[in-house]
Amino acid sequence: MSLITLKNVEVNVGGPYSLIEQADLAVEAGERVCIVGRNGTGKSTLLKVLAGEVEPEEGEVRPQPGLRIAKLTQEVPQGTEGSVYDVVAGALGHLGDLLAEFHRLSQNLATAEDAEALGRVQARLDEENGWDVSSRVSEVVTRLGLPEDADFATLSGGMKRRVLLGRALVQGPDLLLLDEPTNHLDIDNIIWLQDFLKGFGGALVFVTHDRSFLRALATRIVEIDRGGITSWPGDYDNYLRRREERLNAEAQEQARFDKKLAEEEAWIRQGIKARRKRNMGRVRQLQEMRKERAQRREQQGSVRMEASRAEKTGKRVVEAEGVSFAYDGQPIVRDFSTIIGRGDRIGIVGPNGSGKTTLIRLLLGELEPQQGTVETGANLQVAYFDQQRALLDEGATAADNVTDGGEHVTVNGNRRHVIGYLQDFLFTPDRARAPITRLSGGERNRLLLARLFATDSNVLVMDEPTNDLDIETLELLEDLVANYEGTVLIVSHDRAFLDNVVTSLFVMQGDGRVDEFIGGYSEYLERRPKEEAAPAKAKKDSGAKAAKPQPAPESTEDRKRLSNWERKELAELPDRIDELETRVNTLTERLADPAVYQDPAVDPKALNDELSAAREELEAAYRRWEELEAG
């Protein structure tokens, strides 16, 4: 029996079409359902319908009798205050308030009056069987590793999300609803949440644009598209494949329908003969076809992005030597050296508060290092995507935010009217002229991208660009960044985005330590234990080249363990690794060049296969070097 069933549900929030139209959905016990769809299609609204927060205009919502539902929203609810214990227990209503009061009093017994008050609360809990609930609160606090006496207001964004998850779990839900649970979490917290939810015993319905999180959790995909709800059993990759097949079939069917309609329209225009009595059935059929065509809901278009390019920088964009910086004696960056070259795409990762934005400011010369030097190359023109959206003027329209009050933008020499330009970013003329206070989080991010890409640049800095973007827009942004001709610095907690875009990582390890790693985040995770065990690497000599391993001095015992052939192999491996890295970088640059795909004499697939083989050979060389080093 289903935990909750939606039957012929319709939700309209204004506009020509219903947001959700004649929709059916059933959620079974134990399954993990991910709701996907473009921004604005109604994903959060569907969660609200399941939670009972929104009543549909038509249809039925049938929860199983006694069903317990808990919901984790995107934002911290207003008025959430007190200790962590207070916030978690507060989800239990009257008993939760009593438990929170008992907890506060027991932690702060100072006078006889305090002891009397504690006794009164304890007596009420005895009367109302509150101790069973108390053990549930303690279990959740312990299980999630929450600092129960900490002030909620002082916590990091990631820890606040964890506390709110505890608030939801303490209700013992049969159905847990999560709306963008990974937003504003760092990667470690996302992985923790992902592993935790795998062990959750109830049913889970969640909305996310984090593809790695989605792939790890979902057992079924539910898509909202043009008001309709479609269920796709299986994992995300199966959904993508079958959805593409469905859209192709739909396009073919619509083409056949439109051809038939055009033929009937030509027939009706032939004159009065078409409206004789014997043909009235055909006339009525044409009228029905016209009505059906008018009611067709076209699929939302795709964002079209193009970055405005400035003159190229020099080969070296940034050179940092021995850079250190601290706040109030707390090291943020310590003795960090690197060279960033033209065309490098560098991801900056680390826990929230570890100093990722500070590192960017140091590298761009916006912040003076307390020790060491930073030299920036000539002719740098930086375009900056700010996760706080501080660059947007709240009092202006979307169009004015892009042009600073003008009517035209110029992108790569092409002058365009701002309304037409914003349509590439899925803004209708009405939304383009609307104050940005009316825009959703996803629309604001698209607006910031539109502003960013209308600015001539050769260095692109993006601080959490993926928040609130739907998956289709994310994939288009990936393509643009991957083909950007300048240098890119990206702060992101989206593992799939990092894997698909960056060529190397700066990893904030804490206590001022910043490690460099060549490759994407998944490769970093696979090799992290080896990297930590390996000897310290020499400083990178270019932004796209890894440090070459240096064999440690051999002791007499080491020489006895290795054969003559193995010692010779160990001595030759650093040069071999250097050669392979050069080959990988050369192939990567070729595949990033759009001209390769326009040259009929070049086979991009063969180049890609060659790159994969070179990477595998490089990994094998690293493994062999480590084996020989270990003796």
Side-chain angles (χ1 to χ4, degrees), residues 391-402:
L391 297 175
L392 297 179
D393 181 356
E394 294 287 329
T397 66
D400 287 344
N401 264 284
V402 172

Side-chain angles (χ1 to χ4, degrees), residues 177-190:
L177 309 175
L178 304 175
D179 196 355
E180 291 290 356
T182 65
N183 264 9
H184 311 297
L185 296 186
D186 59 42
I187 293 178
D188 287 342
N189 272 310
I190 291 171

Side-chain angles (χ1 to χ4, degrees), residues 259-276:
K259 181 181 179 183
K260 174 68 173 173
L261 177 59
E263 291 171 350
E264 293 302 294
E265 292 288 3
W267 169 78
I268 199 71
R269 288 193 295 271
Q270 289 176 358
I272 192 66
K273 293 180 182 179
R275 290 183 289 276
R276 288 179 179 172

Side-chain angles (χ1 to χ4, degrees), residues 53-84:
E53 298 171 1
V54 168
E55 289 288 333
E57 278 76 19
E58 294 183 21
E60 294 180 85
V61 180
R62 303 173 187 165
Q64 197 179 86
L67 179 69
R68 294 189 300 271
I69 302 175
K71 182 166 176 272
L72 178 65
T73 58
Q74 288 191 42
E75 305 298 334
V76 175
Q78 290 190 357
T80 304
E81 56 186 22
S83 71
V84 167

Side-chain angles (χ1 to χ4, degrees), residues 467-609:
N467 285 346
D468 300 316
L469 294 181
D470 57 48
I471 291 174
E472 288 85 350
T473 305
L474 271 178
E475 290 172 347
L476 291 165
L477 179 60
E478 284 175 358
D479 290 342
L480 184 142
V481 173
N483 293 307
Y484 183 70
E485 294 181 358
T487 303
V488 185
L489 299 176
I490 298 174
V491 175
S492 181
H493 300 314
D494 188 318
R495 292 162 287 170
F497 185 78
L498 290 170
D499 282 341
N500 293 336
V501 165
V502 304
T503 56
S504 60
L505 297 173
F506 292 161
V507 184
M508 313 292 290
Q509 300 284 18
D511 197 32
R513 177 182 160 198
V514 183
D515 287 347
E516 298 183 58
F517 179 83
I518 301 300
Y521 192 79
S522 295
E523 294 170 288
Y524 163 70
L525 283 183
E526 290 172 5
R527 286 177 54 186
R528 178 166 54 178
K530 300 175 185 177
E531 292 290 320
E532 291 172 354
K537 300 188 291 292
K539 186 180 73 176
K540 271 176 45 176
D541 60 3
S542 76
K545 187 173 179 180
K548 183 171 67 176
Q550 301 294 329
E554 294 180 321
S555 66
T556 304
E557 186 180 352
D558 290 333
R559 285 194 293 269
K560 287 179 182 177
R561 283 200 300 265
L562 297 178
S563 68
N564 290 334
W565 181 85
E566 287 173 327
R567 285 200 298 274
K568 181 175 181 295
E569 184 183 7
L570 179 59
E572 293 174 350
L573 268 173
D575 290 336
R576 175 62 177 155
I577 287 172
D578 198 8
E579 177 188 327
L580 287 168
E581 285 173 342
T582 301
R583 185 172 157 201
V584 166
N585 291 333
T586 301
L587 289 168
T588 301
E589 289 171 3
R590 287 197 68 191
L591 284 167
D593 183 359
V596 166
Y597 302 90
Q598 299 168 5
D599 187 346
V602 178
D603 183 357
K605 184 178 184 303
L607 279 179
N608 194 57
D609 291 344

Side-chain angles (χ1 to χ4, degrees), residues 6-18:
L6 275 57
K7 191 72 175 174
N8 295 325
V9 163
E10 185 151 341
V11 179
N12 196 320
V13 293
Y17 299 112
S18 295

